[in-house]
Amino acid sequence: MNATPPQEPLDARDRPARLTVGVVGAGRVGPALAASLRLAGHRPVAVSGVSDASRRRAAALLPSVPLVPPAEVMARAELVLLTVPDDALPGLVEGLVETGSVRPGMLLVHTSGRFGADVLAPATRAGALPLALHPAMTFTGTAVDVQRLAGCSFGVTAPEELRLAAEALVIEMGGEPEWIEEAARPLYHAALALGANHLVTLVAQSMELLRTAGVAAPDRMLGPLLGAALDNALRSGDAALTGPVARGDAGTVAAHVAELRRHAPAAVAGYLAMARTTADRALANGMLKPELAEDLLGVLAEGDLR
């Protein structure tokens, strides 16, 4: 990542070790990544943000870095982080190109999990160097995010000639690069959403139900249990399955469904869907005996009918 001025022939390997960095979209991700790049010796020079929350985040994580319009961020920086919501990214890229904000030779990095480098094609045709660097991490918008990037995996997609540059940037931010083919990006992102986003929903629902059951500190009760379950699942996959569904305890599952209908009807559909998926996986790996599965699946089917 040696430097050449933007107007000179493009070769990521000839770029400077230290780059000026800009952020377009001061959500939870962009300021944290720019702060990590600053720790690696790069120099954040501009950030754009519209909402009061984004301006506060930028001020907290990138103090003294000026807040300017996106076009000015593009003009000031050699490396620009496009950290906007997935659905807004294609339009942003097209708009930056149409306004002449994209310079030949600039590194243009987006952090969308869904998209690879192809979404940056309009900017690539204008001479930008396209990188997709998606941190597999949830962000709070605070300084703790910078610490969490240490050891965080990044889904990396870029043209082959930029692969080393992309991976080097990830390593400089303290992350671990994981190469994702362009065509696999949507599946990769779906996997992360299934594991992380839905986990938050499940845990929040579980805490609400425990409070309804009279548990004063559901977080304290769930912490060790969920920590062990996660560790076991990461180590052993389906072999870590336990509980009434994996055992085929149809009566217990029926009691669960009845209580959920009484106290938390909004949770029933999710419980049934996850129980059915758990039963399928437990059957497939031999944990759930077929003779017990029949009654269990009957209970789940009856739950759907109601």
Side-chain angles (χ1 to χ4, degrees):
M1 283 196 315
N2 235 339
T4 56
Q7 67 271 19
E8 293 183 9
L10 310 180
D11 189 334
R13 293 168 297 182
D14 293 332
R15 293 194 145 270
R18 304 305 88 182
L19 299 165
T20 53
V21 178
V23 179
V24 175
R28 296 183 179 185
V29 178
L33 297 188
S36 294
L37 288 169
R38 170 182 270 171
L39 292 175
H42 300 286
R43 186 163 62 91
V45 293
V47 58
S48 72
V50 177
S51 70
D52 289 341
S54 66
R55 290 171 177 270
R56 286 194 298 270
R57 277 190 292 267
L61 290 172
L62 300 172
S64 77
V65 176
L67 277 158
V68 298
E72 194 167 341
V73 174
M74 299 288 287
R76 294 187 183 191
E78 297 166 300
L79 184 159
V80 176
L81 301 170
L82 304 180
T83 51
V84 298
D86 290 1
D87 287 353
L89 183 60
L92 172 64
V93 174
E94 291 175 3
L96 292 173
V97 172
E98 289 172 1
T99 57
S101 299
V102 177
R103 302 188 315 275
M106 70 188 312
L107 282 164
L108 205 56
V109 177
H110 79 71
T111 58
S112 165
R114 169 186 167 192
F115 294 109
D118 283 357
V119 73
L120 299 174
T124 304
R125 290 192 290 270
L129 306 178
L131 309 177
L133 307 179
H134 174 251
M137 178 55 63
T138 59
F139 287 79
T140 64
T142 66
V144 71
D145 297 331
V146 180
Q147 301 169 17
R148 286 179 174 172
L149 288 174
C152 167
S153 291
F154 279 65
V156 176
T157 305
E160 187 61 37
E161 63 272 18
L162 295 176
R163 179 168 178 167
L164 291 178
E167 292 177 345
L169 281 172
V170 169
I171 291 169
E172 286 192 322
M173 287 186 280
E176 296 287 341
E178 184 72 37
W179 186 256
I180 308 293
E181 295 294 339
E182 183 79 33
R185 291 290 291 208
L187 179 60
Y188 152 81
H189 195 226
L192 294 180
L194 185 67
N197 302 156
H198 297 174
L199 176 63
V200 173
T201 301
L202 290 171
V203 173
Q205 278 192 332
S206 181
M207 288 199 296
E208 288 174 359
L209 293 170
L210 286 172
R211 288 191 190 98
T212 302
V215 175
D219 54 341
R220 190 167 65 237
M221 177 175 282
L222 284 175
L225 172 64
L226 298 185
L230 177 59
D231 184 63
N232 291 342
L234 292 175
R235 292 173 183 271
S236 306
D238 286 335
L241 283 172
T242 186
V245 173
R247 292 192 299 266
D249 291 342
T252 299
V253 172
H256 288 177
V257 174
E259 285 300 292
L260 290 174
R261 287 198 185 283
R262 179 182 173 191
H263 296 287
V268 172
Y271 180 94
L272 291 172
M274 289 303 298
R276 190 173 293 106
T277 300
T278 301
D280 290 343
R281 298 186 73 90
L283 263 173
N285 77 356
M287 295 182 68
L288 176 59
K289 296 176 182 176
E291 60 270 23
L292 296 177
E294 185 175 354
D295 287 345
L296 175 66
L297 293 175
V299 166
L300 297 177
E302 184 179 347
D304 275 335
L305 292 174
R306 291 185 183 179

